[in-house]
Each structure stands twice: as C-alpha cells, then as structure tokens.
Amino acid sequence: MINVDLELAKSALGGHTIALCKNGETITSDSRGVKPMVELIDSGRSLDGYSVADKVVGKAAALLFVYAGIENVYAEVLSVLGAKVLEKHGISYECGTVTERIVNRKGDGYCPMEIATADIDDPTEALATVKAKLKEMNIM
C-alpha cells in the first residue's frame, strides 16, 4: 500500500536535506545533518504521525525520529544501525542505499553524531546528547 504522505515527502525532498509531510502539509529544511530535526523538536511543534524523507539517516537521526513520533521514513542513505532503531520502534522505512556507517563531511572518519549516540538507545537521552554535540561543534 502506498503511503501518500511518504510519497509527498520524497517528492518534496528535491534539493532540500529533509522533508516532512502529514495530511498533505509539508515542512522542508536545507540545514545539514540532524540540526533540522533538533530545531523542529525544539520548536514545540507536534511531529507525531509525520512521514520523513531525508538525505542521510544514521542512528542519531533515527533516534530523533523515534522521539518525535515519526511514522514513516525514506532515506537516500541509511545506516545499518539507523535501520535497527527504526525496526525496533516499529517505524516503517524505505531507502536507496544501506551503508555500514555514516561518515563525516570530510569523508575521513565516522559522523560525530553517530559516535555520540553509539551507546545510546533511549530517544530522550539521544536528543540531549545530540544537542550537546551540536553546541560543542558550534552548529547550534
């Protein structure tokens, strides 16, 4: 069965880094990494039941999706650990490519958000850890 909101989110992704859709309403962002999800969560807006299309989804992003109540995910690139989080929490997903690990922007190591959440399984703890890491990196 086709999920209309997920299809709309996928088509809205285009040149954006993330697109969320629910009942035809679409939210997009061009910020990179997990920053747009953190900003949306911090805004206080309910994201419960939204479908998400994202360029890259690793464990950190998957845990943020769980925290926010996201129902469906499409990832152009999805890490094995991200897929495990989505499966554990019953979030349906599709992806273009599965990768063992998400790499950093320089391409010379692992994504700092993946490292920060490596030993975390609780979505609330993951949000706090990701926020602290973003501040440490002067991204937020």
Side-chain angles (χ1 to χ4, degrees), residues 18-106:
I18 190 170
L20 297 86
C21 188
K22 181 179 177 183
N23 299 327
E25 177 191 2
T26 304
I27 304 165
T28 59
S29 177
D30 298 328
S31 293
R32 294 178 67 182
V34 295
K35 183 180 178 184
M37 273 309 294
V38 172
E39 290 174 337
L40 285 167
I41 290 167
D42 281 353
S43 77
R45 177 184 193 142
S46 173
L47 300 173
D48 195 51
Y50 272 77
S51 293
V52 172
D54 201 339
K55 298 280 186 185
V56 179
V57 175
K59 183 177 182 184
L63 285 164
L64 293 178
F65 294 157
V66 172
Y67 181 90
I70 300 300
E71 283 189 7
N72 303 286
V73 173
Y74 168 76
E76 288 184 356
V77 177
L78 177 66
S79 76
V80 171
L81 292 176
K84 286 181 181 179
V85 168
L86 297 174
E87 289 167 7
K88 178 181 176 183
H89 293 277
I91 298 173
S92 67
Y93 67 89
E94 301 172 11
C95 64
T97 304
V98 176
T99 185
E100 189 62 34
R101 294 272 182 172
I102 304 298
V103 296
N104 64 22
R105 292 181 187 159
K106 290 182 182 177

Coordinates of all heavy atoms in Angstrom, one line a residue, residues 18-106:
I18 N 15.9 17.6 4.1 CA 14.9 16.9 4.8 C 13.5 17.4 4.4 O 13.3 18.6 4.2 CB 15.1 16.9 6.3 CG1 14.2 15.9 7.0 CG2 14.9 18.3 6.9 CD1 14.5 15.6 8.5
A19 N 12.5 16.5 4.3 CA 11.1 16.9 4.1 C 10.2 16.1 4.9 O 10.4 14.9 5.0 CB 10.8 16.8 2.6
L20 N 9.3 16.7 5.6 CA 8.3 16.0 6.5 C 6.9 16.3 5.9 O 6.6 17.4 5.5 CB 8.4 16.5 7.9 CG 9.7 16.3 8.7 CD1 10.7 17.4 8.4 CD2 9.4 16.1 10.1
C21 N 6.0 15.3 6.0 CA 4.7 15.5 5.4 C 3.7 14.8 6.3 O 3.9 13.7 6.7 CB 4.6 15.0 4.0 SG 3.1 15.5 3.2
K22 N 2.5 15.4 6.5 CA 1.4 14.8 7.2 C 0.1 15.5 6.7 O 0.0 16.7 6.6 CB 1.5 15.0 8.7 CG 0.3 14.3 9.5 CD 0.5 14.5 11.0 CE -0.7 13.9 11.7 NZ -0.5 14.1 13.2
N23 N -0.8 14.6 6.2 CA -2.1 15.1 5.7 C -1.9 16.2 4.6 O -2.6 17.2 4.6 CB -3.0 15.6 6.8 CG -3.3 14.5 7.8 OD1 -3.4 13.4 7.4 ND2 -3.4 14.9 9.1
G24 N -0.9 16.0 3.8 CA -0.6 17.0 2.7 C 0.2 18.2 3.1 O 0.6 19.0 2.2
E25 N 0.4 18.5 4.4 CA 1.2 19.6 4.8 C 2.7 19.2 4.8 O 3.0 18.2 5.3 CB 0.8 20.0 6.3 CG 1.7 21.2 6.8 CD 1.5 21.4 8.3 OE1 0.8 20.7 8.9 OE2 2.2 22.4 8.7
T26 N 3.5 20.0 4.2 CA 4.9 19.7 4.0 C 5.8 20.7 4.7 O 5.6 21.9 4.6 CB 5.3 19.6 2.5 OG1 4.4 18.7 1.9 CG2 6.7 19.2 2.3
I27 N 6.8 20.2 5.4 CA 7.9 21.1 6.0 C 9.2 20.6 5.4 O 9.5 19.4 5.3 CB 7.9 20.8 7.5 CG1 6.6 21.0 8.2 CG2 9.0 21.7 8.2 CD1 6.5 20.4 9.6
T28 N 10.0 21.6 5.0 CA 11.3 21.3 4.4 C 12.4 22.1 5.1 O 12.1 23.1 5.7 CB 11.4 21.5 2.9 OG1 11.1 22.9 2.7 CG2 10.4 20.7 2.1
S29 N 13.6 21.6 5.0 CA 14.8 22.3 5.5 C 16.0 22.1 4.6 O 16.1 21.0 4.0 CB 15.1 21.9 7.0 OG 16.3 22.6 7.4
D30 N 16.8 23.1 4.6 CA 18.1 22.9 3.8 C 19.3 22.8 4.8 O 20.4 22.7 4.3 CB 18.3 24.1 2.9 CG 17.1 24.2 1.9 OD1 16.6 23.1 1.5 OD2 16.8 25.3 1.5
S31 N 19.0 22.8 6.1 CA 20.1 22.7 7.1 C 20.6 21.2 7.0 O 19.9 20.3 6.6 CB 19.6 22.9 8.5 OG 19.3 24.3 8.6
R32 N 21.9 21.1 7.2 CA 22.5 19.7 7.1 C 22.5 19.0 8.4 O 22.3 19.5 9.5 CB 24.0 19.9 6.6 CG 24.0 20.5 5.2 CD 25.4 20.7 4.7 NE 26.1 19.5 4.5 CZ 27.3 19.4 4.2 NH1 28.0 20.4 3.9 NH2 27.9 18.2 4.0
G33 N 22.7 17.6 8.2 CA 22.8 16.8 9.4 C 21.5 16.7 10.2 O 20.4 16.7 9.6
V34 N 21.6 16.5 11.5 CA 20.4 16.3 12.4 C 19.9 17.7 12.9 O 18.8 17.7 13.5 CB 20.8 15.4 13.6 CG1 21.1 14.0 13.1 CG2 21.9 16.0 14.4
K35 N 20.5 18.7 12.5 CA 20.1 20.1 13.0 C 18.6 20.4 12.7 O 17.9 20.9 13.6 CB 21.0 21.2 12.4 CG 20.7 22.5 12.9 CD 21.6 23.6 12.3 CE 21.2 25.0 12.8 NZ 22.1 26.0 12.2
P36 N 18.1 20.1 11.5 CA 16.7 20.5 11.3 C 15.8 19.7 12.2 O 14.8 20.3 12.6 CB 16.5 20.1 9.8 CG 17.7 19.5 9.3 CD 18.8 19.6 10.3
M37 N 16.0 18.5 12.5 CA 15.1 17.7 13.4 C 15.2 18.3 14.8 O 14.2 18.4 15.4 CB 15.5 16.2 13.4 CG 14.8 15.4 12.3 SD 13.0 15.6 12.2 CE 12.5 14.9 13.7
V38 N 16.4 18.6 15.2 CA 16.5 19.2 16.6 C 15.8 20.5 16.6 O 15.0 20.8 17.6 CB 18.0 19.4 16.9 CG1 18.1 20.2 18.2 CG2 18.7 18.0 17.1
E39 N 15.9 21.3 15.6 CA 15.2 22.6 15.6 C 13.7 22.4 15.6 O 12.9 23.1 16.3 CB 15.6 23.4 14.3 CG 17.0 24.0 14.4 CD 17.5 24.6 13.2 OE1 17.0 24.4 12.1 OE2 18.5 25.4 13.3
L40 N 13.2 21.4 14.8 CA 11.7 21.2 14.8 C 11.3 20.7 16.1 O 10.2 21.1 16.6 CB 11.4 20.2 13.7 CG 11.4 20.7 12.2 CD1 11.4 19.6 11.2 CD2 10.3 21.7 12.0
I41 N 12.0 19.8 16.7 CA 11.6 19.3 18.1 C 11.6 20.4 19.1 O 10.7 20.6 19.8 CB 12.6 18.1 18.5 CG1 12.4 16.9 17.6 CG2 12.4 17.8 20.0 CD1 13.4 15.8 17.8
D42 N 12.7 21.3 19.0 CA 12.7 22.4 20.0 C 11.6 23.4 19.8 O 11.3 24.2 20.7 CB 14.1 23.1 19.9 CG 15.2 22.3 20.6 OD1 14.9 21.3 21.3 OD2 16.4 22.7 20.5
S43 N 11.1 23.5 18.5 CA 10.0 24.5 18.3 C 8.8 24.2 19.0 O 7.9 25.0 19.1 CB 9.8 24.5 16.8 OG 9.0 23.4 16.3
G44 N 8.6 22.9 19.5 CA 7.4 22.5 20.2 C 6.3 22.0 19.3 O 5.3 21.6 19.8
R45 N 6.5 22.1 18.0 CA 5.5 21.6 17.1 C 5.4 20.1 17.2 O 6.4 19.4 17.2 CB 6.0 22.1 15.7 CG 5.1 21.6 14.6 CD 5.6 22.0 13.2 NE 4.6 21.8 12.3 CZ 4.3 22.5 11.3 NH1 5.1 23.5 11.0 NH2 3.4 22.3 10.4
S46 N 4.2 19.6 17.2 CA 4.0 18.2 17.2 C 4.3 17.6 15.8 O 3.8 18.1 14.8 CB 2.5 17.8 17.5 OG 2.3 16.4 17.4
L47 N 5.2 16.6 15.8 CA 5.6 15.9 14.6 C 5.0 14.5 14.6 O 5.4 13.7 13.7 CB 7.1 15.9 14.4 CG 7.7 17.3 14.4 CD1 9.3 17.2 14.4 CD2 7.3 18.0 13.1
D48 N 4.2 14.2 15.6 CA 3.6 12.9 15.7 C 2.8 12.5 14.4 O 2.0 13.2 14.0 CB 2.7 12.8 16.9 CG 2.4 11.4 17.3 OD1 3.3 10.6 17.5 OD2 1.2 11.1 17.5
G49 N 3.2 11.3 13.9 CA 2.5 10.8 12.7 C 3.0 11.3 11.4 O 2.4 11.0 10.3
Y50 N 4.0 12.2 11.4 CA 4.6 12.7 10.1 C 5.4 11.6 9.4 O 5.9 10.6 10.0 CB 5.5 13.9 10.3 CG 4.8 15.2 10.4 CD1 4.0 15.6 11.5 CD2 4.9 16.0 9.3 CE1 3.4 16.8 11.5 CE2 4.2 17.3 9.3 CZ 3.5 17.7 10.4 OH 2.8 18.9 10.4
S51 N 5.5 11.7 8.1 CA 6.4 10.9 7.3 C 7.6 11.8 6.9 O 7.4 13.0 6.7 CB 5.7 10.4 6.0 OG 4.7 9.5 6.3
V52 N 8.8 11.2 6.9 CA 10.0 11.9 6.6 C 10.8 11.4 5.5 O 10.9 10.2 5.4 CB 10.9 11.9 7.9 CG1 12.3 12.5 7.6 CG2 10.3 12.6 9.1
A53 N 11.3 12.3 4.6 CA 12.3 11.9 3.6 C 13.5 12.7 3.9 O 13.5 13.9 4.2 CB 11.8 12.3 2.2
D54 N 14.7 12.0 4.0 CA 15.9 12.6 4.5 C 17.0 12.1 3.6 O 17.0 10.9 3.1 CB 16.2 12.2 5.9 CG 17.1 13.1 6.6 OD1 17.9 13.8 6.0 OD2 17.1 13.1 7.9
K55 N 18.0 12.9 3.4 CA 19.2 12.5 2.5 C 20.0 11.4 3.2 O 20.3 10.4 2.6 CB 20.1 13.7 2.3 CG 19.5 14.8 1.5 CD 19.4 14.6 0.1 CE 18.9 15.8 -0.7 NZ 18.8 15.5 -2.1
V56 N 20.3 11.6 4.5 CA 21.2 10.6 5.2 C 20.5 10.3 6.6 O 20.3 11.3 7.4 CB 22.6 11.1 5.4 CG1 23.5 10.2 6.2 CG2 23.2 11.5 4.1
V57 N 20.3 9.1 6.9 CA 19.8 8.7 8.2 C 20.7 7.7 8.9 O 20.9 6.5 8.4 CB 18.3 8.1 8.1 CG1 17.8 7.6 9.4 CG2 17.4 9.2 7.5
G58 N 21.3 8.1 10.0 CA 22.0 7.1 10.8 C 21.3 6.9 12.1 O 20.1 7.3 12.3
K59 N 22.0 6.4 13.1 CA 21.4 6.0 14.4 C 20.9 7.3 15.1 O 19.8 7.3 15.6 CB 22.4 5.3 15.2 CG 21.8 4.9 16.6 CD 22.8 4.1 17.4 CE 22.1 3.7 18.7 NZ 23.0 3.0 19.6
A60 N 21.7 8.4 15.0 CA 21.3 9.6 15.7 C 19.9 10.1 15.2 O 19.0 10.5 15.9 CB 22.4 10.7 15.6
A61 N 19.9 10.2 13.8 CA 18.6 10.7 13.2 C 17.5 9.8 13.5 O 16.4 10.3 13.8 CB 18.8 10.9 11.7
A62 N 17.7 8.5 13.4 CA 16.6 7.5 13.7 C 16.1 7.7 15.1 O 14.9 7.7 15.3 CB 17.1 6.1 13.5
L63 N 17.0 7.9 16.1 CA 16.5 8.1 17.4 C 15.7 9.4 17.6 O 14.8 9.5 18.3 CB 17.7 8.1 18.4 CG 18.3 6.7 18.7 CD1 19.7 6.8 19.3 CD2 17.3 5.9 19.6
L64 N 16.1 10.4 16.8 CA 15.3 11.7 16.9 C 14.0 11.5 16.2 O 13.0 12.0 16.7 CB 16.1 12.8 16.1 CG 17.4 13.3 16.8 CD1 18.1 14.3 15.9 CD2 17.2 13.8 18.2
F65 N 13.9 10.7 15.2 CA 12.6 10.3 14.6 C 11.7 9.6 15.6 O 10.5 9.9 15.7 CB 12.8 9.5 13.3 CG 13.5 10.2 12.2 CD1 14.1 9.4 11.2 CD2 13.5 11.6 12.1 CE1 14.8 10.0 10.1 CE2 14.2 12.2 11.0 CZ 14.8 11.4 10.1
V66 N 12.3 8.7 16.3 CA 11.5 8.0 17.3 C 11.0 9.0 18.4 O 9.8 9.0 18.7 CB 12.4 6.9 18.0 CG1 11.6 6.3 19.2 CG2 12.8 5.8 17.0
Y67 N 11.9 9.8 18.9 CA 11.5 10.8 19.9 C 10.3 11.7 19.4 O 9.4 12.0 20.1 CB 12.7 11.7 20.2 CG 12.4 12.8 21.2 CD1 12.6 12.5 22.6 CD2 11.9 14.0 20.9 CE1 12.3 13.5 23.5 CE2 11.6 15.0 21.8 CZ 11.8 14.7 23.2 OH 11.5 15.6 24.1
A68 N 10.4 12.1 18.1 CA 9.4 13.0 17.5 C 8.1 12.3 17.2 O 7.1 13.0 16.9 CB 9.9 13.7 16.3
G69 N 8.0 11.0 17.1 CA 6.8 10.3 16.8 C 6.6 10.1 15.3 O 5.5 9.9 14.8
I70 N 7.7 10.1 14.5 CA 7.6 9.9 13.1 C 7.1 8.5 12.8 O 7.5 7.5 13.5 CB 9.0 10.1 12.4 CG1 9.5 11.6 12.7 CG2 9.0 9.8 11.0 CD1 8.6 12.7 12.2
E71 N 6.3 8.4 11.8 CA 5.7 7.1 11.4 C 6.4 6.3 10.3 O 6.4 5.1 10.3 CB 4.2 7.2 11.1 CG 3.3 7.4 12.3 CD 1.9 7.3 12.0 OE1 1.5 7.0 10.8 OE2 1.1 7.6 12.9
N72 N 6.8 7.1 9.3 CA 7.4 6.5 8.1 C 8.7 7.3 7.7 O 8.7 8.5 7.8 CB 6.5 6.5 6.9 CG 5.2 5.9 7.2 OD1 5.1 4.7 7.3 ND2 4.1 6.7 7.5
V73 N 9.7 6.6 7.2 CA 10.9 7.2 6.8 C 11.4 6.7 5.5 O 11.3 5.5 5.2 CB 12.1 6.9 7.9 CG1 13.4 7.4 7.4 CG2 11.7 7.5 9.2
Y74 N 11.9 7.7 4.6 CA 12.6 7.3 3.4 C 14.0 8.0 3.6 O 14.1 9.2 3.9 CB 11.9 7.9 2.2 CG 12.9 7.8 1.0 CD1 13.1 6.6 0.4 CD2 13.6 8.9 0.6 CE1 14.0 6.5 -0.7 CE2 14.5 8.8 -0.5 CZ 14.7 7.6 -1.1 OH 15.6 7.5 -2.1
A75 N 15.0 7.2 3.4 CA 16.4 7.7 3.5 C 17.1 7.4 2.2 O 17.0 6.3 1.7 CB 17.1 7.1 4.6
E76 N 17.7 8.4 1.6 CA 18.5 8.1 0.4 C 19.7 7.2 0.8 O 20.0 6.3 0.1 CB 19.0 9.4 -0.2 CG 17.9 10.2 -0.9 CD 18.4 11.4 -1.7 OE1 19.6 11.8 -1.6 OE2 17.5 12.1 -2.3
V77 N 20.3 7.5 2.0 CA 21.3 6.6 2.5 C 20.9 6.3 4.0 O 20.6 7.2 4.7 CB 22.7 7.3 2.5 CG1 23.8 6.5 3.2 CG2 23.1 7.7 1.1
L78 N 20.9 5.1 4.3 CA 20.5 4.6 5.7 C 21.6 3.7 6.2 O 22.0 2.8 5.6 CB 19.2 3.9 5.6 CG 18.6 3.2 6.9 CD1 18.2 4.3 7.9 CD2 17.4 2.4 6.6
S79 N 22.0 4.0 7.5 CA 23.0 3.1 8.1 C 22.3 1.9 8.7 O 21.1 1.9 9.0 CB 23.8 3.8 9.2 OG 23.0 4.0 10.4
V80 N 23.1 0.8 8.8 CA 22.6 -0.4 9.4 C 22.0 -0.1 10.8 O 20.9 -0.6 11.2 CB 23.7 -1.5 9.5 CG1 23.3 -2.7 10.3 CG2 24.1 -1.9 8.1
L81 N 22.7 0.7 11.6 CA 22.3 1.0 13.0 C 21.0 1.8 13.0 O 20.1 1.7 13.8 CB 23.4 1.7 13.8 CG 24.6 0.9 14.1 CD1 25.7 1.7 14.8 CD2 24.2 -0.3 15.0
G82 N 20.9 2.7 12.0 CA 19.7 3.5 11.9 C 18.5 2.6 11.6 O 17.4 2.8 12.1
A83 N 18.7 1.7 10.7 CA 17.6 0.7 10.3 C 17.2 -0.1 11.5 O 16.0 -0.3 11.7 CB 18.1 -0.2 9.2
K84 N 18.2 -0.5 12.3 CA 17.8 -1.3 13.5 C 17.0 -0.5 14.5 O 16.0 -1.0 15.1 CB 19.1 -1.8 14.2 CG 19.8 -2.9 13.5 CD 21.0 -3.4 14.2 CE 21.7 -4.5 13.4 NZ 22.9 -5.0 14.0
V85 N 17.3 0.8 14.7 CA 16.5 1.7 15.6 C 15.1 1.8 15.0 O 14.1 1.6 15.8 CB 17.1 3.1 15.7 CG1 16.2 4.0 16.4 CG2 18.4 3.0 16.5
L86 N 14.9 2.0 13.7 CA 13.6 2.2 13.1 C 12.8 0.9 13.3 O 11.6 0.9 13.7 CB 13.7 2.6 11.7 CG 14.4 3.9 11.4 CD1 14.6 4.1 9.9 CD2 13.6 5.1 12.0
E87 N 13.4 -0.2 13.0 CA 12.8 -1.5 13.2 C 12.3 -1.8 14.6 O 11.2 -2.2 14.9 CB 13.7 -2.7 12.7 CG 13.9 -2.7 11.2 CD 15.0 -3.6 10.8 OE1 15.6 -4.3 11.6 OE2 15.4 -3.6 9.5
K88 N 13.2 -1.5 15.5 CA 12.9 -1.8 17.0 C 11.7 -1.0 17.4 O 10.9 -1.5 18.3 CB 14.2 -1.4 17.8 CG 14.0 -1.5 19.3 CD 15.2 -1.1 20.1 CE 14.9 -1.2 21.6 NZ 16.0 -0.7 22.3
H89 N 11.5 0.2 16.8 CA 10.4 1.1 17.3 C 9.2 1.0 16.3 O 8.3 1.9 16.5 CB 11.0 2.5 17.5 CG 11.9 2.6 18.6 ND1 11.5 2.7 19.9 CD2 13.3 2.5 18.7 CE1 12.6 2.8 20.7 NE2 13.6 2.7 20.0
G90 N 9.2 0.1 15.4 CA 8.1 -0.1 14.5 C 7.8 1.0 13.5 O 6.7 1.2 13.1
I91 N 8.9 1.7 13.1 CA 8.8 2.7 12.1 C 9.1 2.1 10.8 O 10.2 1.6 10.6 CB 9.8 3.9 12.4 CG1 9.4 4.6 13.8 CG2 9.7 4.9 11.3 CD1 10.4 5.6 14.2
S92 N 8.1 2.2 9.9 CA 8.4 1.6 8.5 C 9.4 2.5 7.8 O 9.4 3.8 8.0 CB 7.1 1.5 7.8 OG 6.5 2.7 7.4
Y93 N 10.2 1.9 6.9 CA 11.2 2.7 6.2 C 11.5 2.1 4.8 O 11.2 0.9 4.6 CB 12.5 2.8 7.0 CG 13.2 1.6 7.2 CD1 14.2 1.2 6.3 CD2 13.0 0.8 8.3 CE1 14.9 0.0 6.4 CE2 13.7 -0.4 8.5 CZ 14.6 -0.8 7.5 OH 15.3 -2.0 7.7
E94 N 12.0 3.0 4.0 CA 12.5 2.7 2.6 C 13.8 3.4 2.5 O 14.0 4.4 3.2 CB 11.5 3.2 1.5 CG 10.1 2.7 1.6 CD 9.3 3.4 0.6 OE1 9.8 4.2 -0.3 OE2 8.0 3.3 0.6
C95 N 14.7 2.8 1.7 CA 15.9 3.6 1.5 C 16.5 3.3 0.1 O 16.1 2.3 -0.5 CB 17.0 3.2 2.5 SG 17.4 1.5 2.5
G96 N 17.4 4.2 -0.3 CA 18.1 4.0 -1.6 C 19.3 3.1 -1.4 O 19.4 2.1 -2.2
T97 N 20.1 3.4 -0.4 CA 21.3 2.7 -0.2 C 21.5 2.4 1.3 O 21.2 3.3 2.1 CB 22.5 3.5 -0.6 OG1 22.4 3.8 -2.0 CG2 23.8 2.8 -0.4
V98 N 21.9 1.2 1.7 CA 22.2 0.9 3.1 C 23.8 0.9 3.2 O 24.5 0.3 2.3 CB 21.7 -0.5 3.5 CG1 22.1 -0.9 4.9 CG2 20.2 -0.5 3.4
T99 N 24.2 1.5 4.3 CA 25.7 1.5 4.5 C 26.0 1.1 5.9 O 25.1 1.2 6.8 CB 26.2 3.0 4.3 OG1 27.6 3.0 4.4 CG2 25.6 4.0 5.3
E100 N 27.2 0.6 6.1 CA 27.6 0.1 7.4 C 27.6 1.3 8.4 O 27.1 1.2 9.5 CB 28.9 -0.6 7.4 CG 29.3 -1.3 8.6 CD 28.4 -2.4 9.0 OE1 27.8 -3.1 8.1 OE2 28.2 -2.6 10.2
R101 N 28.2 2.4 8.0 CA 28.3 3.5 8.9 C 28.2 4.8 8.1 O 28.5 4.9 6.9 CB 29.7 3.6 9.5 CG 30.0 2.5 10.5 CD 29.6 2.8 11.9 NE 29.9 1.8 12.8 CZ 29.8 1.9 14.1 NH1 29.3 3.0 14.6 NH2 30.1 0.9 14.9
I102 N 27.7 5.9 8.8 CA 27.7 7.2 8.2 C 29.0 7.9 8.4 O 29.6 7.8 9.6 CB 26.6 8.1 8.9 CG1 25.2 7.4 8.8 CG2 26.5 9.5 8.3 CD1 24.7 7.1 7.4
V103 N 29.6 8.4 7.4 CA 30.9 9.1 7.5 C 30.7 10.6 7.7 O 29.7 11.1 7.5 CB 31.8 8.8 6.3 CG1 32.1 7.4 6.1 CG2 31.1 9.4 5.0
N104 N 31.8 11.2 8.2 CA 31.7 12.7 8.4 C 31.8 13.4 7.1 O 32.0 12.8 6.1 CB 32.8 13.1 9.4 CG 34.2 12.9 8.9 OD1 34.5 12.8 7.7 ND2 35.2 12.8 9.8
R105 N 31.6 14.7 7.2 CA 31.6 15.5 5.9 C 32.9 15.5 5.2 O 32.9 15.7 4.0 CB 31.1 16.9 6.3 CG 29.7 16.9 6.7 CD 29.1 18.3 7.0 NE 27.8 18.1 7.5 CZ 27.2 19.0 8.3 NH1 27.8 20.2 8.6 NH2 26.0 18.8 8.7
K106 N 34.0 15.4 5.9 CA 35.3 15.3 5.3 C 35.6 14.0 4.6 O 36.4 13.8 3.7 CB 36.4 15.6 6.3 CG 36.5 17.0 6.8 CD 37.7 17.1 7.7 CE 37.8 18.5 8.3 NZ 38.9 18.6 9.3

